[in-house]
Structure formats: C-alpha cells, structure tokens
Amino acid sequence: MTFDEHIKTIKYVFPKTIPIMAGFTFIGLAYGIYMNSLGFEPMYAILMSIFIFAGSMEFVAGSMLLGAFNPVSAFILTLMINARHLFYGIAMLDKFKGVGKKKSYLIYGMCDETFVINSTSKVPTHINSGWFMFYVTLFNQIYWVGGTTLGSLFGTAIPFNTEGIEFVMTALFAVIFLDQWKKERYHISSIIGVGASVLSLIVFGSENFILPAMVIIIIALTAIKKMMSKREVIS
C-alpha cells in the first residue's frame, strides 16, 4: 500500500476506535494505579500491558506475582480466563486469510473489543481489510498501553475515585450490540447470542457462563450456516 492509502485507512479506522479509546484509557489508568498500589514500579505495568495485553489477566497477574511461584496454576488460570479467545480465533479464520505478515500481530493483539470491530465492520472496497484490522488492533493496544502508563506514572496524584470504572466497557459492548442490531436485516445471530448467554447464565451462574454460552453460539451458528448453504445449493 502507498503512504496515501495508509493515511486513508487510518482516517477511516480511528473514528471507529474512539469508544475503545475512552474505555481503555480509563481502565488502563485503573490498572496502572492498581499495580502502583501493589508496590510495582511503573515499568512492570507498562511492559505487562505491552507483552501480555489481556486486561483481566493483567489484573490477576499483579496479585500472582506477589504469591508463591506456581507456573502450572498460572497456566491453568490464564487458560480459563482467556479461553474465549479460542472461539474468537475460529470466528476470524476466514478474515485472516491473505493478510500476509500482519497475521501474527492480528492474532497476538486480538482482544474482546478488537474482535468485535474486526468481525462486524463492513470494510469499504477502497480500504484494504487486512490493514483495516491491523490499525484497529494497533490503536486499541496503544490506548491500553497509554492508559496504563498514565496510571502507573501519575496514579498516586489522581484525586478521583476509580471504583466501578470497569462498567465503561460493559456500556461500550451494549452500544456495539445495539448498533449491530440496527444493521442486521435478520436478527438471528443476535437472538442466538442473547439467548445462549441468558440460558448459560441461569444454568452455570455468573462466574462460569461465558464458555458454555460461546459453545452454544458456535454450534447454533454453524448449524444455521450449513442449513443456509444447503438451501442455496437446492435453489
């Protein structure tokens, strides 16, 4: 791509990531303050936000670093917390085809918010989809690292109470869901997602419902896709 094409892509991507910037900046700020409260120097939080880049796990990792060394427990806990990314990867298999060397970074940098934007956005024909996903991923990580850096360096001087600030991301997902609902001609996928989540929440509880919900969603959407493919062949 030419320099001008990169600029056009960046101009198209940036507005879509502004809500993520707001959420990540404040949550990253809270994370930086949290790590500071545990006694870690700013560099620890900054490097963890760069190389781990998994919000929930980074909060957990802070307390784990103060405990006894147990790599097996750390591995299992990390797998449990981030197992949903297995489903993200499956969902993005087709989109990541043909993106070249960017694929490694796209896999590494995929978080919940990046997955939502990259999987639901309809990229115009004049924008390269691979570079679109790359810049979405890059901007979102910059927001997170930036928020963490601010929280780590200036956290002790911030006068306001950050309790409950994590609700910013919940509100963000609600807005993204409503926007996607408005764009859909048929709401089958949205209804399946909500239905599977509610059912899993009732059966498995708030601590364990995410993985069962994703399994149900994947199975249901796969079945529907096969049915639609058969109808197309018959017609």
Side-chain angles (χ1 to χ4, degrees):
M1 279 199 355
T2 65
F3 178 77
D4 288 339
E5 288 174 328
H6 279 285
I7 296 300
K8 287 181 181 179
T9 304
I10 289 171
K11 287 182 177 179
Y12 180 77
V13 167
F14 178 68
K16 293 183 176 295
T17 64
I18 289 176
I20 311 296
M21 178 175 62
F24 271 18
T25 299
F26 281 105
I27 296 181
L29 198 70
Y31 171 64
I33 295 171
Y34 171 71
M35 289 294 287
N36 185 278
S37 70
L38 294 179
F40 289 100
E41 293 293 327
M43 191 54 63
Y44 282 89
I46 295 170
L47 290 176
M48 286 170 67
S49 67
I50 294 172
F51 293 107
I52 298 178
F53 191 42
S56 301
M57 193 58 219
E58 287 180 48
F59 278 93
V60 175
S63 59
M64 291 182 67
L65 287 173
L66 297 177
F69 178 69
N70 191 337
V72 175
S73 176
F75 172 78
I76 294 174
L77 183 60
T78 303
L79 182 63
M80 290 175 61
I81 292 175
N82 292 314
R84 63 190 185 280
H85 288 257
L86 295 170
F87 299 96
Y88 295 170
I90 293 172
M92 296 299 289
L93 284 175
D94 290 336
K95 290 211 169 193
F96 283 174
K97 287 181 179 178
V99 298
K101 295 180 180 179
K102 298 183 288 297
K103 185 175 182 179
S104 296
Y105 178 66
L106 292 175
I107 294 171
Y108 157 75
M110 191 191 307
C111 61
D112 298 340
E113 295 75 18
T114 299
F115 168 75
V116 170
I117 294 178
N118 285 342
S119 63
T120 60
S121 296
K122 293 183 179 180
V123 183
T125 54
H126 68 279
I127 300 292
N128 182 282
S129 61
W131 283 108
F132 169 85
M133 292 187 291
F134 173 83
Y135 282 117
V136 168
T137 306
L138 179 63
F139 284 165
N140 286 346
Q141 186 171 17
I142 289 173
Y143 302 149
W144 177 254
V145 175
T148 300
T149 302
L150 289 174
S152 300
L153 296 176
F154 308 111
T156 54
I158 297 175
F160 62 87
N161 184 2
T162 58
E163 183 180 355
I165 204 168
E166 65 277 3
F167 183 75
V168 170
M169 300 315 297
T170 303
L172 172 63
F173 277 112
V175 172
I176 292 174
F177 172 80
L178 292 173
D179 182 63
Q180 186 65 21
W181 178 277
K182 289 167 62 178
K183 291 179 180 178
E184 290 177 336
R185 183 178 180 184
Y186 304 105
H187 304 297
I188 296 175
S189 59
S190 297
I191 293 171
I192 289 174
V194 173
S197 300
V198 172
L199 177 63
S200 298
L201 181 63
I202 294 172
V203 175
F204 299 101
S206 60
E207 298 294 326
N208 305 302
F209 82 97
I210 294 179
L211 285 181
M214 288 189 169
V215 171
I216 295 171
I217 291 169
I218 291 293
I219 293 174
L221 292 179
T222 302
I224 290 174
K225 185 176 180 179
K226 288 182 178 179
M227 289 173 59
M228 293 177 66
S229 299
K230 287 181 180 179
R231 287 184 180 180
E232 289 177 1
V233 171
I234 294 172
S235 60

